[in-house]
Amino acid sequence: MILTNAKTLVAKYSDLPVRAGYSVKMDDCEIALFRVTNGKVYAIENHSPHPKGGVLTEGLVSGDYVFCPVYDWKISLADGKVQAPDEGQIETYQVEVEGDNVYIIS
């Protein structure tokens, strides 16, 4: 695998609501951005890992976790892991904030 560290501008920081999801498209992926109460921004795949799970931008945010709006699975925004007793993981993306610009690093 070749790492390029390419930065893609995906949003304006000022447009991101606190403790709520914000959906963006990058290539063929739908990505959920979350700005948590301490100001940090996370980027994750925008679909619960549950086979019939929901869109994560519609989920509730608590701390560094989002809850699947359909099955209430608790998912870490930092590493995408579903918390026990449930199992699964979703893709996470590296985020960089420069001024009012939010980038995903690929």
Side-chain angles (χ1 to χ4, degrees):
M1 178 166 78
I2 298 173
L3 298 176
T4 63
N5 289 332
K7 295 188 334 186
T8 303
L9 178 65
V10 292
K12 294 291 185 188
Y13 185 82
S14 57
D15 290 340
L16 301 179
V18 178
R19 296 184 59 212
Y22 186 91
S23 178
V24 298
K25 284 271 200 182
M26 193 171 105
D27 300 324
D28 291 334
C29 300
E30 187 172 343
I31 297 171
L33 298 175
F34 293 94
R35 179 175 158 193
V36 296
T37 54
N38 68 4
K40 185 171 174 83
V41 177
Y42 293 99
I44 61 173
E45 178 182 346
N46 194 20
H47 195 276
S48 172
H50 188 285
K52 296 180 182 177
V55 175
L56 293 177
T57 52
E58 297 174 5
L60 295 174
V61 177
S62 178
D64 292 336
Y65 296 91
V66 63
F67 290 82
C68 171
V70 177
Y71 288 97
D72 203 35
W73 282 13
K74 184 178 181 182
I75 303 163
S76 169
L77 295 171
D79 62 16
K81 291 182 182 177
V82 175
Q83 305 304 292
D86 301 307
E87 297 179 353
Q89 187 168 5
I90 57 172
E91 186 75 30
T92 60
Y93 303 89
Q94 183 180 350
V95 174
E96 185 175 307
V97 178
E98 291 180 0
D100 195 39
N101 294 326
V102 178
Y103 298 93
I104 290 182
I105 311 300
S106 55

